[in-house]
Amino acid sequence: PKGATDCIAEDRNEVSACLGLENELMAVPALLAVGAVHHYLIKQGLRTQVSLVANTGQCWSTHHFACLIGYGASAVCPYLALAHIRNWHATPKGKAKADGQTVQQCQENFQTSIVGGLKKIMSKMGISVLESYRGAQIFQSIGIHSSVLNVAFEGTPSTMEGLTFSDIANEAMMFHTRAFPELDE
């Protein structure tokens, strides 16, 4: 449609030499970013005109994909999971376990397993197409503060208060510091 565009939520910097991460910038958790942008676009009346893409290293399991799509992602690129498969395949042990498959075939196997897992999740909920699952927010929160829910996960029921934005920032800083220990000096 006229005016349609893509919005990419990305937690890496292409210029960086360390798996796309940059030590001066801390990544916002992908699900928080996707949920917040999704709700912002809804409030602006633009959601149906924008594809929201998550290009993240914080996604490697079916659950991660299900949450990102369920909170509005149109597409997910798990760059770190795919890089891990490439690195694993390059090792002697990885090549032996790959049983003659190329790295591309191993990555396709990962993608096939994720798609199969998503289909299983959706079928258990009676959902037959991904379009009906995208942005549906059919989750319940446990341990996330209402201030966070109101910004990024509006309408998600919660049984118990928990992590605030400060808690999430502290946890993100902990992971960032572990990735770049030189910053802690």
Side-chain angles (χ1 to χ4, degrees):
K2 187 177 180 184
T5 188
D6 292 332
C7 176
I8 301 174
E10 186 168 24
D11 60 15
R12 69 176 175 170
N13 183 334
E14 293 295 334
V15 179
S16 178
C18 181
L19 285 176
L21 300 172
E22 187 169 309
N23 62 3
E24 292 92 19
L25 301 173
M26 183 176 72
V28 172
L31 184 58
L32 183 66
V34 165
V37 171
H38 172 73
H39 284 289
Y40 174 79
L41 291 170
I42 289 171
K43 289 175 184 168
Q44 298 302 312
L46 300 170
R47 186 60 190 103
T48 58
Q49 299 172 16
V50 178
S51 294
L52 183 52
V53 179
N55 186 20
T56 180
Q58 302 173 9
C59 186
W60 58 87
S61 77
T62 304
H63 176 72
H64 298 142
F65 283 87
C67 288
L68 285 166
I69 294 167
Y71 278 105
S74 304
V76 179
C77 176
Y79 71 84
L80 195 56
L82 296 173
H84 177 73
I85 292 169
R86 283 192 305 276
N87 292 339
W88 169 82
H89 192 274
T91 67
K93 186 176 180 179
K95 275 201 173 149
K97 288 197 173 212
D99 198 28
Q101 293 184 347
T102 66
V103 68
Q104 289 82 9
Q105 289 170 317
C106 291
Q107 289 176 331
E108 287 171 10
N109 290 344
F110 170 72
Q111 292 169 343
T112 299
S113 68
I114 294 299
V115 169
L118 287 171
K119 286 179 180 178
K120 185 175 181 179
I121 289 169
M122 289 175 11
S123 71
K124 287 182 177 185
M125 297 176 179
I127 298 172
S128 59
V129 293
L130 192 61
E131 286 301 317
S132 296
Y133 187 80
R134 182 176 298 120
Q137 297 186 187
I138 43 182
F139 305 100
Q140 182 175 358
S141 169
I142 300 172
I144 298 183
H145 196 271
S146 57
S147 62
V148 177
L149 292 174
N150 292 337
V151 170
F153 313 112
E154 191 173 322
T156 300
S158 179
T159 56
M160 174 171 101
E161 292 280 321
L163 295 174
T164 63
F165 280 112
S166 294
D167 297 327
I168 293 168
N170 288 336
E171 186 173 295
M173 181 56 84
M174 178 189 69
F175 286 119
H176 188 76
T177 303
R178 287 177 67 190
F180 302 102
E182 67 274 12
L183 297 175
D184 206 23
E185 296 172 357

